[in-house]
Amino acid sequence: MAEVFRPRDVDGRPVHAHAFMAEHPGELALVEVEGAGGEERWLTCSWSTLSEGGYVAVARDETERKKLQDDKDGWIAQVSHELRTPLTPIKGFLHTLQRRESQLEPADRQHIYEVMLRE
């Protein structure tokens, strides 16, 4: 199986199928393989040991699902970053107001409020 598929784990390291299957009997694994045209495909594989030796393996192509998941993860990371960017100065100004409001001049306080509204 390893010679045909040349599997790699999610970090790109080669997966030695026989050793992995022996150490993790019956587990479901997500592996990257090289397709017939050289393209990368992602498979979920499950397997069972045969009584006379060897394995029966069932593989399902998960390339599209993994691509959608990766896109979703990237989108969530981008949205999180975009939300944190304006929240950071707002949080800083709120801490300043909380600790030093009585020491601030009305003009300074007004400036802080304006920056927070703009953010």
Side-chain angles (χ1 to χ4, degrees), residues 29-44:
L30 180 66
V31 295
E32 182 183 14
V33 298
E34 187 176 316
E39 78 280 3
E40 294 177 346
R41 307 297 295 176
W42 287 92
L43 305 177
T44 51

Side-chain angles (χ1 to χ4, degrees), residues 73-93:
D73 292 346
W75 185 82
I76 289 171
Q78 181 67 31
V79 167
S80 296
H81 172 75
E82 292 298 325
L83 287 174
R84 276 193 307 271
T85 300
L87 290 176
T88 301
I90 292 171
K91 186 176 177 183
F93 280 128

Side-chain angles (χ1 to χ4, degrees), residues 36-94:
E39 78 280 3
E40 294 177 346
R41 307 297 295 176
W42 287 92
L43 305 177
T44 51
C45 301
S46 60
W47 55 89
S48 294
T49 307
L50 295 172
S51 58
E52 54 278 343
Y55 300 92
V56 170
V58 176
R60 180 180 178 150
D61 189 341
E62 297 284 346
T63 305
E64 285 302 313
R65 186 195 60 76
K66 180 154 182 359
K67 182 183 179 315
L68 286 172
Q69 185 64 43
D70 290 349
D71 289 348
K72 178 181 144 193
D73 292 346
W75 185 82
I76 289 171
Q78 181 67 31
V79 167
S80 296
H81 172 75
E82 292 298 325
L83 287 174
R84 276 193 307 271
T85 300
L87 290 176
T88 301
I90 292 171
K91 186 176 177 183
F93 280 128
L94 286 171

